[in-house]
Amino acid sequence: MLLLEIKEKPILQWNIELAKKFGVREVVLGVGFLHEQIEQFFGNGKKFGVKISYSIEKEFLGTAGALKLAERFFENEKKFIMMNGDEVKDVHFEKLDKVFEAESAWAADALVPTPDVSKSGSVKLNGNYITDFLEKNPLPQNEKGLVNAGAYILSNQILSLIPKNQPVSIEKTIFPLLASQKKMVGIPCLGQWFQTDTLEKLEKARNEWNPHNNL
């Protein structure tokens, strides 16, 4: 089985359960290489209490391009949640949604305070509005800031900004555009947050993730 596990569950399952906790009942998984293994494990989602559909990315399209590929699943939804599938996290989507609605935003970003933003990049805020995205910068180190946690509430209007069948990054292209137009907000609204994109981070997540200590 390809799926990496933390506390005896695939990482992706933790994300599905998080979405379900806040009322999501239909899930679309954007999948690519070896997608058959993911489909075999999760199936139609019935055993997890949700309906699961699959959007299969045959060529690399980036995070925004992959979302555009799955547009047919969201075109009748006013808003939806989008998350990275390679992290375990505890997001308070209700708090994020209140800001999203109050500011009539096109996107709301769950943010995490961190003591060192040099390895992850960070965002600048003016009130609840995100004004800038700062790239990773090894200097200065140990500078506190807020980082993107890979969990968003998005208006379906965002789909109109993404070209079809083209590689586009939502983090590097779409979000900075929204920020420049005062259409993107963000707030710190997480409890636990563990990345798993390196062996060191994966081991830390396996040791420290506590599913009984969620929001």
Side-chain angles (χ1 to χ4, degrees):
M1 175 64 69
L2 176 68
L3 303 177
L4 293 175
E5 293 187 349
I6 291 177
K7 306 297 184 184
E8 300 181 349
K9 289 183 183 179
I11 295 169
L12 196 52
Q13 184 177 340
W14 287 114
N15 285 275
I16 291 172
E17 291 180 359
L18 170 63
K20 182 183 174 183
K21 177 181 176 181
F22 288 96
V24 172
R25 292 297 177 264
E26 295 189 24
V27 174
V28 178
L29 298 181
V31 294
F33 181 64
L34 295 178
H35 62 87
E36 297 88 352
Q37 295 191 34
I38 295 175
E39 293 182 56
Q40 181 181 2
F41 183 86
F42 289 102
N44 62 8
K46 185 176 180 179
K47 65 181 179 180
F48 302 99
V50 295
K51 176 185 176 182
I52 296 180
S53 302
Y54 298 89
S55 177
I56 301 173
E57 186 178 349
K58 296 180 180 179
E59 297 180 358
F60 176 76
L61 292 174
T63 45
L67 177 60
K68 185 69 173 181
L69 182 66
E71 181 174 14
R72 66 190 184 278
F73 297 105
F74 307 106
E75 56 189 0
N76 295 322
E77 301 293 333
K78 178 184 175 183
K79 60 186 176 182
F80 53 90
I81 288 172
M82 179 178 178
M83 287 191 286
N84 294 345
D86 61 349
E87 301 156 346
V88 283
K89 47 192 174 281
D90 182 23
V91 185
H92 201 310
F93 280 112
E94 289 180 350
K95 289 183 178 179
L96 189 63
D97 187 51
K98 286 181 180 178
V99 176
F100 175 84
E101 292 290 346
E103 305 291 1
S104 299
W106 284 30
D109 190 353
L111 303 175
V112 178
T114 179
D116 183 2
V117 299
S118 64
K119 296 181 181 180
S120 54
S122 60
V123 304
K124 282 188 175 181
L125 288 178
N126 181 4
N128 291 326
Y129 286 99
I130 294 178
T131 60
D132 201 6
F133 290 84
L134 306 177
E135 295 295 327
K136 299 176 184 179
N137 183 2
L139 295 174
Q141 293 185 6
N142 300 319
E143 181 176 339
K144 295 180 180 179
L146 295 168
V147 302
N148 175 359
Y152 322 102
I153 296 175
L154 303 177
S155 165
N156 67 0
Q157 297 174 95
I158 201 173
L159 296 166
S160 66
L161 303 177
I162 309 171
K164 289 184 178 180
N165 303 318
Q166 294 184 32
V168 183
S169 167
I170 201 167
E171 299 89 352
K172 295 182 179 180
T173 302
I174 305 301
F175 285 168
L177 174 62
L178 293 179
S180 71
Q181 299 174 350
K182 293 193 69 175
K183 293 180 179 178
M184 185 161 189
V185 295
I187 59 169
C189 57
L190 281 88
Q192 302 176 87
W193 179 63
F194 296 99
Q195 296 172 298
T196 63
D197 55 333
T198 68
L199 290 176
E200 181 181 4
K201 292 176 182 178
L202 176 61
E203 189 64 23
K204 179 179 176 64
R206 284 174 168 166
N207 289 333
E208 298 183 19
W209 170 251
N210 183 355
H212 304 296
N213 191 31
N214 293 339
L215 292 171

